Amino acid sequence: MPTPSDRGASPDGQPIEPIRVLRPRRTDALAELLKDLPPRGAVGYESIALPGPSSGAEDATQELPPVRDQDRSRRSRDIPRGRVPGLRRTAIAAAVTAAAVIGFGCALLLAGRGESTAEAAPQPTATASATPTPTPTASGATDPDGPGTLREGDNGPEVTDLQERLLRIPDVYDNGSTDGTYDPTLTAAVARFQLWYGIRGDEDGVYGDDTRRDLESRTGGG
């Protein structure tokens, strides 16, 4: 289809008008067919008479016998439990309440009996013991550093042996006395020996088993 080059300019030639075609309806033939049909008559309804009650029907009717009490009780027994949930719940609640009341009463009775028994029991009286408690005595056998331990204030030949042995250890007891007295100078020498040679089994400045064993191993057996 050719299109104009310019929208404002009209195309060449006259425009084509649409053509409307009119077709007549053929109603005459339909009317002719309806005329040929025979006429219909009116449609009616037929009435039918209903039969009435026969004579003697009421006399043939029998009356039902009354329900007895036994039948009622039997029917009540036949009713399933699921149809009366309210009664069952009420019975369960009553049983639980009764059990709780009984348990509470038993607890009160037991508590009262326990208190009466505690009051009736005699209280023990404290009596002073006539036997005196023995007090431990300090002795050489119970010395924490072992038997034969020497400390400041002791005297005797064992102290002299200790002084002579310490003199053999360099720079521990230089120019020390051998008079057999455990004086502060000897205590300081024993503590120095323990510190230098790592002896920890005895108290500082106390000549116990560990210090004796180490000193005798370094200075020869007694």
Side-chain angles (χ1 to χ4, degrees), residues 59-144:
D59 298 337
T61 303
Q62 297 180 1
E63 186 177 357
L64 296 175
V67 180
R68 293 177 296 178
D69 296 337
Q70 295 180 358
D71 296 339
R72 292 181 180 178
S73 61
R74 187 177 300 172
R75 291 180 181 179
S76 61
R77 293 177 184 175
D78 295 340
I79 297 177
R81 296 182 179 179
R83 296 185 181 180
V84 286
L87 181 61
R88 185 178 182 183
R89 292 178 182 175
T90 305
I92 294 174
V96 172
T97 305
V101 171
I102 294 173
F104 184 71
C106 294
L108 291 179
L109 291 176
L110 292 176
R113 290 182 181 179
E115 292 179 358
S116 61
T117 305
E119 292 177 358
Q123 298 292 335
T125 57
T127 57
S129 177
T131 305
T133 304
T135 57
T137 58
S139 62
T142 59
D143 197 312

